[in-house]
Amino acid sequence: MSEVASEATALAREAAPLKVGVVGLGYAGTTHAESYLRIPGVEVVALAGKEPDRLVHLGQTLGIPHLFDDWHDLVAMDELDIVSVATPNALHAPISIAALDAGKHVFCEKPLAITADEARRMGDAAARADRVLEVAFNHRRRADVQYLKRYLDEIGIGEIYHVRATWKRRAGIPGLTSWFTSKTLAGGGALIDLGPHVLDIVLFLLDEPHVTTVSAVTHGALGRAGYGAMDKGAQFAGGHTSFEVEDLASALLRTDRGTSIQYEISWAGHTADDEDISIELLGVEGGARLLVKRYASDGTLTIYRDIAGEAVDITPHVHVEDKGHPTVIGEFVRTVRSGRWAGHHGEDAVHRTEILDAAYESARLGKEVAL
Ligand SMILES: NC(=O)c1ccc[n+]([C@@H]2O[C@H](COP(=O)([O-])OP(=O)(O)OC[C@H]3O[C@@H](n4cnc5c(N)ncnc54)[C@H](O)[C@@H]3O)[C@@H](O)[C@H]2O)c1
């Protein structure tokens, strides 16, 4: 196609409204629907979920005409351009693959999938259909993370040889008996829930190295004993066995560039850390620490250097507006409208899932696993 013709096609694509269907009515699904509705030329026309009252309520408040109990009916709608997946993790792969096979673009919540094999099948489905598969790595779009990336690109801290990356909660298990703590529905616990965001930020800041080995441990004794629920009402007596996943995972990752990454994620712990995200980059010429306590919006970033022979702490004034969903969904819609979909078939998200999968395998085997 000539340049003029392809520009005309892109403009026509921009002019036509994009029609979206969202699966899931929880925090994630609601945030997806609200984020699309802020974008001119995007219409949310369908919603699916298992809570009938909430389905009708959300449909009415957001003006969404087609409401379904089951995702199959939503994916079957011919008029949809985009399917947004915000369900329990185990449904991400079946819904996304069905939607991609039906020619829709897919925006999927993290984790992409519960196993590396599923993630690869999702990436293959996107490539086969030549449709966009994007994942909700929204925290990467925080203004402080974006500033740190610009700082690394424009000024740098020398060779980054080691990273310490954690997300720790004191009592943050999202429901001791919810789908989040079912191995079948969630695929894992804290690591697969909070871990994708931390891993995504680190790999983004490091310019996408390939992780070559993972050595990990997981623990679930706290959750099994009935401690650590986010909602105290849901706490059960010790000895209950339906907490099937880990509340803490700790891992050492090696990359093909020699950078090592110490990575620890926990939903709960008898500790001072409570809803703290911390990412420390140790470089030869300087260091940087992103410390986000309880989703703080200001004062989260410090750069460390030696200047004129003295240690200096630099604290950029960066304000964080939100947790990033509107930005990542806006970027996804721009990619869909661009018509240039090569390289947007979920490639980065597949590698992140392979790393998480390798961490679980390493913990199960009790030894380091190579990717
Ligand atoms: N990116 C983020 O910051 C972020 C934040 C929260 C949750 N999440 C992710 O979003 C996803 C959903 O989390 P949540 O907290 O909103 O969960 P939730 O339990 O509140 O909502 C899940 C929704 O899926 C629906 N669902 C389940 N089975 C279905 C089916 N067969 N057909 C149609 N709908 C079905 C349920 O009815 C429910 O409305 C998870 O993968 C989670 O990891 C991401």
Side-chain angles (χ1 to χ4, degrees):
M1 203 188 297
S2 76
E3 211 171 298
V4 173
S6 93
E7 183 62 23
T9 314
L11 284 174
R13 217 179 264 119
E14 260 173 51
L18 283 175
K19 297 195 174 175
V20 181
V22 176
V23 188
L25 314 172
Y27 167 80
T30 308
T31 309
H32 288 203
E34 290 171 348
S35 300
Y36 287 112
L37 289 169
R38 288 164 59 164
I39 306 172
V42 177
E43 297 171 7
V44 181
V45 298
L47 196 56
K50 293 284 177 196
E51 301 80 11
D53 293 348
R54 178 138 183 89
L55 183 64
V56 171
H57 171 76
L58 265 184
Q60 280 173 352
T61 29
L62 301 179
I64 302 171
H66 301 286
L67 306 177
F68 302 106
D69 164 72
D70 202 82
W71 64 267
H72 293 91
D73 300 320
L74 181 142
V75 169
M77 281 181 74
D78 278 341
E79 64 181 281
L80 292 186
D81 301 292
I82 289 171
V83 171
S84 223
V85 183
T87 59
N89 304 343
L91 287 173
H92 292 186
I95 300 175
S96 300
I97 292 171
L100 291 161
D101 285 349
K104 324 289 187 202
H105 302 280
V106 169
F107 182 80
C108 183
E109 262 307 333
K110 46 48 65 174
L112 176 60
I114 62 174
T115 65
D117 182 50
E118 275 189 352
R120 285 191 283 265
R121 283 195 284 114
M122 293 166 83
D124 290 347
R128 198 169 53 235
D130 191 23
R131 291 295 183 271
V132 180
L133 171 61
E134 184 61 84
V135 177
F137 291 128
N138 44 298
H139 288 283
R140 182 210 298 191
R141 274 73 183 185
R142 288 176 56 98
D144 43 11
V145 175
Q146 292 295 319
Y147 177 86
L148 178 53
K149 182 73 171 89
R150 284 202 304 281
Y151 186 93
L152 294 173
D153 289 346
E154 291 172 20
I155 296 169
I157 57 171
E159 183 201 339
I160 300 172
Y161 54 90
H162 188 66
V163 178
R164 301 186 189 113
T166 62
W167 187 332
K168 297 183 206 162
R169 290 178 176 166
R170 182 161 179 169
I173 299 175
L176 277 169
T177 54
S178 71
W179 69 260
F180 281 95
T181 60
S182 150
K183 178 81 181 147
T184 315
L185 292 176
L191 180 65
I192 205 165
D193 179 35
L194 305 177
H197 288 302
V198 175
L199 187 59
D200 175 65
I201 293 173
V202 171
L203 297 182
F204 167 67
L205 291 173
L206 296 180
D207 273 336
E208 301 297 332
H210 192 80
V211 171
T212 52
T213 67
V214 180
S215 180
V217 291
T218 58
H219 297 277
L222 208 67
R224 286 197 299 276
Y227 285 109
M230 201 181 266
D231 169 10
K232 296 292 174 206
Q235 203 141 321
F236 50 66
H240 198 292
T241 52
S242 65
F243 182 86
E244 301 169 353
V245 295
E246 81 287 351
D247 49 61
L248 181 148
S250 190
L252 178 69
L253 279 49
R254 291 171 212 271
T255 73
D256 57 354
R257 299 194 203 140
T259 311
S260 45
I261 303 166
Q262 195 186 322
Y263 176 52
E264 186 166 312
I265 308 292
S266 68
W267 267 342
H270 299 299
T271 172
D273 304 313
D274 193 8
E275 201 65 273
D276 295 354
I277 302 170
S278 171
I279 293 171
E280 286 177 272
L281 307 180
L282 301 178
V284 176
E285 306 295 331
R289 186 175 194 196
L290 180 78
L291 177 59
V292 183
K293 285 179 167 282
R294 296 195 156 273
Y295 301 109
S297 301
D298 297 281
T300 52
L301 186 59
T302 312
I303 317 261
Y304 304 90
R305 313 195 75 100
D306 279 4
I307 299 180
E310 296 293 347
V312 175
D313 300 356
I314 303 164
T315 51
H317 291 194
V318 181
H319 176 69
V320 176
E321 283 295 332
D322 54 40
K323 292 179 190 164
H325 265 107
T327 311
V328 68
I329 286 179
E331 283 175 21
F332 164 67
V333 166
R334 270 199 302 283
T335 305
V336 168
R337 280 183 172 148
S338 76
R340 286 184 284 277
W341 304 324
H344 295 281
H345 301 321
E347 294 84 350
D348 290 350
V350 170
H351 186 47
R352 284 144 174 73
T353 311
E354 287 170 342
I355 297 164
L356 295 176
D357 208 22
Y360 282 120
E361 198 192 348
S362 164
R364 190 174 56 79
L365 297 174
K367 62 178 190 186
E368 186 171 81
V369 166
L371 274 96

